[in-house]
Amino acid sequence: TNESVTSNDSIKPVEVVIERSHDEWELLDRPQLAPQLPQPLKERFGAPEEASLRFWVNGEEKVVTSGQFPVTTSLAEYLRYHLGLTGTKIGCGEGGCGACTVLLHAPADTMLLAPNPCMANACLRPLHSMNGWEVTTIEKVGTPKAPHPIQSAFVKHSASQCGMCTPGMVMSIYGHLAKGGSKDPQDLQGCIQGNLCRCTGYRPIHDAMRETLKVSCDVKVRLQPAVPLAMHRDGQTWFDCANL
């Protein structure tokens, strides 16, 4: 072999020369100014640097200020890693397994095509889209000392093994009953069609569901009007389109 070719000393980095015109360099050196908010919008939405969104999680008001979290933060990440509500699982992270299912109530002045309340995959729901919403998680439904009848039915029929899918299953059944869904066994089974179980099998889950036919779920929330919102981040102004 040729030592001069294999030697590290003989390998030099390739020099890349970028040729730009004088006008291009002036454009690159120009300071990046943040867009100015028109005065009518500023009066309605407030100053972008002071903007915040507020919503409710299990009855407690939460406030997120501008720039506190990346705009890519999901509701599931906020619930688990900021609030410590680890009952909301993150399985696939793509809305396919249902482990992150939560119950949502829309603001009172928001028009929705979906029923209110509605179920949602928290891993797909952007945190910054939650302005004025009310979120109910599995922690609100029941506790180890005071479980909800749906949870008790799961325990009775051994409908949980690893437990990863169980909170999402319970929330789907709970939400189905909370929004006045049919208690027909076939319809009740259909409410978990977006929830996947990979270890227990669905027979004990269906047995537990049949025991919940007499269960009533009355979710008490405070439907607040959505607060107009404008947020400023990374040189861009973000609006809550539901309130424009």
Side-chain angles (χ1 to χ4, degrees):
T1 60
N2 190 341
E3 294 181 358
S4 62
V5 175
T6 58
S7 173
N8 292 332
D9 296 336
S10 64
I11 301 176
K12 297 182 179 180
V14 178
E15 295 183 1
V16 179
V17 179
I18 301 177
E19 296 183 359
R20 288 191 173 99
S21 65
H22 177 72
D23 293 338
E24 290 176 327
W25 283 114
E26 281 192 346
L27 183 63
L28 291 174
D29 292 337
R30 184 180 304 171
Q32 300 296 319
L33 300 178
Q36 297 297 318
L37 198 65
Q39 186 62 30
L41 292 180
K42 189 177 296 185
E43 292 176 357
R44 178 181 178 185
F45 292 93
E49 61 274 7
E50 300 175 357
S52 62
L53 62 89
R54 64 187 178 99
F55 59 102
W56 288 261
V57 178
N58 297 334
E60 296 182 4
E61 184 179 9
K62 305 298 177 183
V63 178
V64 176
T65 58
S66 179
Q68 183 178 359
F69 297 99
V71 294
T72 56
T73 303
S74 69
L75 175 61
E77 292 171 328
Y78 176 79
L79 293 174
R80 287 183 58 83
Y81 308 135
H82 184 70
L83 299 185
L85 300 176
T86 54
T88 302
K89 309 300 183 184
I90 298 179
C92 65
E94 299 176 347
C97 69
C100 63
T101 302
V102 295
L103 182 67
L104 299 181
H105 281 80
D109 58 354
T110 301
M111 296 181 63
L112 290 180
L113 296 179
N116 196 15
C118 60
M119 309 308 297
N121 291 319
C123 70
L124 297 181
R125 185 80 186 197
L127 171 63
H128 293 85
S129 70
M130 295 306 301
N131 186 46
W133 287 73
E134 180 108 13
V135 184
T136 301
T137 70
I138 190 70
E139 286 83 0
K140 179 69 173 181
V141 173
T143 64
K145 293 183 178 180
H148 190 274
I150 299 176
Q151 295 171 309
S152 298
F154 267 66
V155 173
K156 177 181 177 180
H157 294 277
S158 300
S160 177
Q161 189 167 323
C162 76
M164 185 69 177
C165 70
T166 305
M169 293 275 188
V170 172
M171 288 304 302
S172 291
I173 302 170
Y174 181 83
H176 175 77
L177 299 176
K179 61 185 181 182
S182 171
K183 292 187 178 182
D184 180 82
Q186 292 296 326
D187 294 336
L188 196 58
Q189 290 180 12
C191 77
I192 62 166
Q193 61 184 353
N195 299 81
L196 299 181
C197 176
R198 295 181 175 89
C199 55
T200 305
Y202 287 90
R203 175 51 55 201
I205 295 175
H206 290 168
D207 292 339
M209 292 176 69
R210 278 193 290 270
E211 192 163 317
T212 64
L213 295 177
K214 297 181 180 179
V215 174
S216 62
C217 299
D218 183 18
V219 185
K220 296 181 179 179
V221 297
R222 299 165 305 185
L223 295 181
Q224 303 285 346
V227 180
L229 175 67
M231 298 191 73
H232 181 72
R233 183 174 176 83
D234 299 332
Q236 299 184 22
T237 302
W238 298 76
F239 295 101
D240 183 354
C241 297
N243 297 307
L244 290 179

